[in-house]
Amino acid sequence: MSCYDLHSHSWVSDGTLSPTELVHRAAAGGVGVLALTDHDDTAGCAEARQAAVECGLTLLPGVEVSVTWQAMTVHIVGLGVDPAAAELEAGLARLREFRDWRAHEIGRRLAERGIDGAYEGAAVLTRGRIISRTHFAHYLVSRGCGKDVREVFRHYLRRGKPGHVPGQWASLEEAVGWIRAAGGVAVVAHPARYELTASKLRRLLGEFIECGGEGMEIVSGSHSPDDVQTMARHARTLGLLASVGSDFHGPENPWVELGRLAPLPEGLTPVWQRWEAALGAA
Ligand code: AMP
Ligand code: MN
Ligand code: MN
Ligand code: MN
């Protein structure tokens, strides 16, 4: 059986490797099937697919869609999407417009706190069409506003902090609809990271299923072993397909590596059963 890693980022969004470098690193690490899931953009999939052909890896075009649900931000991964699908591309273009507006607003808010030039500083770090809080974080670290990305997130970029701007992302229904219209499977990304009560998580997953969502990440770079077991129970109860993804953003975060993931717990249906026939994997 192939090694699957179904959540990763390139510099098209807030990762630090090019799509080609990402694919080569995944192949070298033993990944057989990789999904490139940049935030709100599929622009890296063509390059990644080309690189995948060169190194004998199967590339699944994907995306990680930003969603606002109950005034919080939730991420929905789309796996096996057609990057050229019109409805998905139009939806993502709208989210990128909001990102641009929000980035200027983050810059204004940080300037009020005496940190000027943050928008320009973050913008020069982008390599694709999206500007992310991660770019602001790298800029703030370079200015000495904190010792690392985590610390500047904690002090400046998280909810309730000076540089935080509430999201106006897609609705759950839109995100799942765009993914399905593009031929993809919708998966709730890193569900344990939202720190929801069990009943609120059940509500999120229930609404997601009503919208046509089919899977949830069980093993994730941001899940603890306990999280994996808890999420596995939810997936079994609700009959959701189980996904596995590192959420790799670059080699400078050595605690998350491509393909270095725990196995799925027993009693789950892996999301890749949806493509096994097409991929020729047994
Ligand atoms: P955005 O979609 O622009 O709001 O940025 C969200 C991204 O910021 C996530 O995908 C993570 O890559 C990164 N991020 C969020 N919170 C943290 C944190 N506490 N430490 C490091 N990176 C974070
Ligand atoms: Mn990210
Ligand atoms: Mn995410
Ligand atoms: Mn991600």
Side-chain angles (χ1 to χ4, degrees):
M1 195 187 82
S2 234
C3 167
Y4 291 81
D5 190 334
L6 303 181
H7 188 151
S8 69
H9 296 272
S10 75
W11 69 26
V12 163
S13 63
D14 59 348
T16 55
L17 299 183
S18 71
T20 300
E21 289 165 342
L22 178 78
V23 166
H24 283 273
R25 189 180 180 95
V31 175
V33 181
L34 176 75
L36 174 63
T37 55
D38 275 310
H39 298 287
D40 306 326
D41 206 327
T42 57
C45 293
E47 181 187 320
R49 190 161 246 174
Q50 185 58 44
V53 170
E54 286 158 17
C55 55
L57 172 152
T58 299
L59 191 281
L60 216 47
V63 65
E64 183 173 14
V65 183
S66 307
V67 164
T68 300
W69 181 78
Q70 306 240 331
M72 59 175 288
T73 297
V74 169
H75 288 168
I76 304 296
V77 160
L79 298 174
V81 296
D82 171 7
E87 198 182 329
L88 175 64
E89 194 37 55
L92 298 180
R94 188 187 98 206
L95 300 187
R96 292 193 296 267
E97 257 176 54
F98 170 69
R99 276 189 177 278
D100 289 340
W101 176 85
R102 181 190 67 157
H104 283 101
E105 186 62 24
I106 293 173
R108 276 192 288 277
R109 292 185 188 197
L110 290 174
E112 281 172 13
R113 295 302 180 102
I115 303 172
D116 53 3
Y119 172 78
E120 292 75 14
V124 298
L125 300 176
T126 65
R127 308 289 296 254
R129 294 184 294 188
I130 81 132
I131 179 161
S132 148
R133 281 185 295 161
T134 307
H135 300 113
F136 280 90
H138 286 298
Y139 172 73
L140 291 171
V141 171
S142 77
R143 276 197 45 165
C145 296
K147 71 174 184 340
D148 58 22
V149 162
R150 280 167 191 241
E151 190 174 295
V152 294
F153 258 96
R154 202 162 54 239
H155 290 144
Y156 294 100
L157 299 170
R158 268 164 55 162
R159 185 135 75 155
K161 298 301 169 183
H164 185 262
V165 179
Q168 296 168 28
W169 305 113
S171 68
L172 197 54
E173 193 175 6
E174 285 174 322
V176 175
W178 300 339
I179 290 165
R180 286 173 65 95
V185 175
V187 171
V188 177
H190 42 62
R193 215 165 84 185
Y194 311 125
E195 296 179 344
L196 300 174
T197 60
S199 66
K200 195 155 182 191
L201 178 58
R202 276 197 300 273
R203 195 176 331 148
L204 168 64
L205 296 171
E207 287 184 27
F208 173 72
I209 291 168
E210 277 173 28
C211 293
E214 296 174 74
M216 64 188 280
E217 288 180 351
I218 304 298
V219 176
S220 160
S222 51
H223 282 176
S224 71
D226 273 356
D227 292 336
V228 171
Q229 297 306 326
T230 308
M231 295 306 128
R233 282 196 293 276
H234 283 287
R236 287 187 203 105
T237 305
L238 296 167
L240 282 162
L241 299 171
S243 191
V244 167
S246 61
D247 205 2
F248 180 82
H249 280 71
E252 64 287 347
N253 303 324
W255 57 91
V256 183
E257 186 50 83
L258 286 158
R260 206 179 295 154
L261 289 158
L264 275 175
E266 296 294 311
L268 295 167
T269 307
V271 68
W272 49 84
Q273 287 202 355
R274 292 285 253 95
W275 306 286
E276 268 186 347
L279 296 174

